[in-house]
Amino acid sequence: MVVSQVRANTVVALQPGRRLGLGSFALAGSTMLIVWVAVASLLGQGRLAAVLSAGRAELAAPLLAGLVVLTGICERIWPAERRGVLARGHVQDACFLVLHALVVIPLMTLLSVGSATLVGRYASWVELRPLQNWPAMVLVPVTIVAMDGANWLAHYADHRLGFLWRFHALHHSQEELSVLTSFRAHPLMHTTGFILASIPVVALMPARPIAPVLITVYVCLGTLQHANLRLTYGPLGRVLVSPAYHRLHHALEAECVNLGVVFTIWDVLAGFARFPGRGGTAGLTGLRGRPVPVEQDQAAPPIPLLLAEQLIAPFLVRRHAR
Ligand SMILES: [Zn+2]
Ligand SMILES: [Zn+2]
């Protein structure tokens, strides 16, 4: 099914004639269950505060903060699309950054622990014991690439399944892409990715953790891709998702292309890769018809109210839609 059809049929703004989306509530319930498993397990071990603190150190590392600031400066000097520093899209995405720091980072940490706990408890057969003797310099890169593949699969599901698209649509609704758009995501958009990514981690590295700095570097690469820059990474852009490559994924008329999170390999294998040309114009981004409430709409309510509408929208589905 063409992505735009999914968008048209399933995503809604707050209007009359909507029903509650059961799939959305099921996702919320599953997320709460995984978080509960993580909290219960960590409380039992007396490690809840330490793990939340370690998660904060990985996902809100000074390296990431520095990258966001530096990218923001570069966006002022070499923008793909020139606009004011306080453009509505930037301000709204800054609010999502605050939400990310306060809510999403602890949620991600607990989803990671809860998913790994559940996979380890009920699907321990996925553990590939013979691989445990491989040297770390082989096993760690293999695990990270496999995790990226799981994230690609989750992203593919976001675009193919209506109830997941309802959450992902908020991310795609941004018409003024910037590095801050990396944080414009519904908190419940992350659940599928963490469930799927925990499988290769449990399979390949059940007994040893991945070095936090590698997770931070992975997150940095995933954040940079939304920069408002014409950056293609040159030859490296054939392997790593660059801002120019990911911008094509956010294009207004985008079909299912460039789903890669950090590596392009999965798009290449699936036939979804569309590499950017040199010096091309920055195409428009966002969702045609604005099915999600957006700040660029002249009739948009004040920022806090709009934020609430954007977060509630996935739970309200147009009648007769999936
Ligand atoms: Zn997407
Ligand atoms: Zn994106």
Side-chain angles (χ1 to χ4, degrees), residues 7 155 158-159 165 168 171-172 246 249-250 257-259:
R7 295 174 182 181
H155 193 185
D158 285 341
H159 280 264
W165 169 253
H168 191 55
H171 179 64
H172 275 271
H246 192 63
H249 177 65
H250 277 263
V257 298
N258 297 5
L259 294 162

Side-chain angles (χ1 to χ4, degrees), residues 41-159:
S41 166
L42 292 171
L43 279 176
Q45 300 166 31
R47 294 197 307 130
L48 180 60
V51 167
L52 286 175
S53 168
R56 215 167 21 249
E58 278 180 13
L59 301 172
L63 180 66
L64 178 63
L67 180 85
V68 170
V69 171
L70 187 66
T71 308
I73 293 169
C74 292
E75 285 177 335
R76 305 310 309 154
I77 305 171
W78 304 288
E81 192 186 15
R82 191 164 289 283
R83 65 178 88 96
V85 68
L86 290 179
R88 291 182 184 194
H90 297 180
V91 175
Q92 195 71 13
D93 284 357
C95 294
F96 279 102
L97 173 60
V98 174
L99 184 74
H100 181 85
L102 296 178
V103 176
V104 178
I105 286 180
L107 176 65
M108 283 175 151
T109 305
L110 294 173
L111 281 174
S112 171
V113 172
S115 300
T117 303
L118 286 169
V119 172
R121 191 180 295 167
Y122 298 109
S124 57
W125 47 267
V126 300
E127 290 181 21
L128 299 170
R129 289 285 171 193
L131 269 56
Q132 302 313 306
N133 299 323
W134 284 18
M137 62 182 295
V138 175
L139 198 54
V140 172
V142 167
T143 305
I144 289 175
V145 172
M147 271 174 58
D148 190 68
N151 287 329
W152 183 94
L153 202 60
H155 193 185
Y156 179 76
D158 285 341
H159 280 264

Side-chain angles (χ1 to χ4, degrees), residues 70-309:
L70 187 66
T71 308
I73 293 169
C74 292
E75 285 177 335
R76 305 310 309 154
I77 305 171
W78 304 288
E81 192 186 15
R82 191 164 289 283
R83 65 178 88 96
V85 68
L86 290 179
R88 291 182 184 194
H90 297 180
V91 175
Q92 195 71 13
D93 284 357
C95 294
F96 279 102
L97 173 60
V98 174
L99 184 74
H100 181 85
L102 296 178
V103 176
V104 178
I105 286 180
L107 176 65
M108 283 175 151
T109 305
L110 294 173
L111 281 174
S112 171
V113 172
S115 300
T117 303
L118 286 169
V119 172
R121 191 180 295 167
Y122 298 109
S124 57
W125 47 267
V126 300
E127 290 181 21
L128 299 170
R129 289 285 171 193
L131 269 56
Q132 302 313 306
N133 299 323
W134 284 18
M137 62 182 295
V138 175
L139 198 54
V140 172
V142 167
T143 305
I144 289 175
V145 172
M147 271 174 58
D148 190 68
N151 287 329
W152 183 94
L153 202 60
H155 193 185
Y156 179 76
D158 285 341
H159 280 264
R160 291 301 193 196
L161 302 177
F163 77 101
L164 293 180
W165 169 253
R166 290 201 289 274
F167 290 95
H168 191 55
L170 171 59
H171 179 64
H172 275 271
S173 66
Q174 182 52 273
E175 299 172 7
E176 298 170 297
L177 226 55
S178 79
V179 69
L180 296 178
T181 306
S182 303
F183 308 101
R184 183 193 184 91
H186 197 288
L188 296 174
M189 193 191 88
H190 305 286
T191 306
T192 329
F194 275 96
I195 293 172
L196 291 177
S198 69
I199 295 171
V201 173
V202 172
L204 298 166
M205 298 184 65
R208 356 177 198 173
I210 298 175
V213 67
L214 293 178
I215 301 292
T216 301
V217 169
Y218 185 86
V219 172
C220 283
L221 288 170
T223 302
L224 194 56
Q225 64 187 229
H226 293 102
N228 181 29
L229 299 170
R230 294 172 195 272
L231 201 56
T232 63
Y233 294 165
L236 210 58
R238 305 298 291 190
V239 182
L240 291 177
V241 172
S242 67
Y245 182 91
H246 192 63
R247 193 180 182 94
L248 292 175
H249 177 65
H250 277 263
L252 197 59
E253 305 294 352
E255 295 298 319
C256 207
V257 298
N258 297 5
L259 294 162
V261 177
V262 165
F263 299 111
T264 61
I265 173 181
W266 310 107
D267 285 327
V268 173
L269 290 173
F272 291 165
R274 203 172 119 206
F275 290 97
R278 271 189 173 182
T281 53
L284 296 176
T285 63
L287 296 175
R288 187 163 295 287
R290 294 179 170 168
V292 176
V294 288
E295 55 275 19
Q296 290 84 9
D297 191 330
Q298 291 303 322
I303 291 172
L305 211 57
L306 177 64
L307 193 70
E309 282 193 5

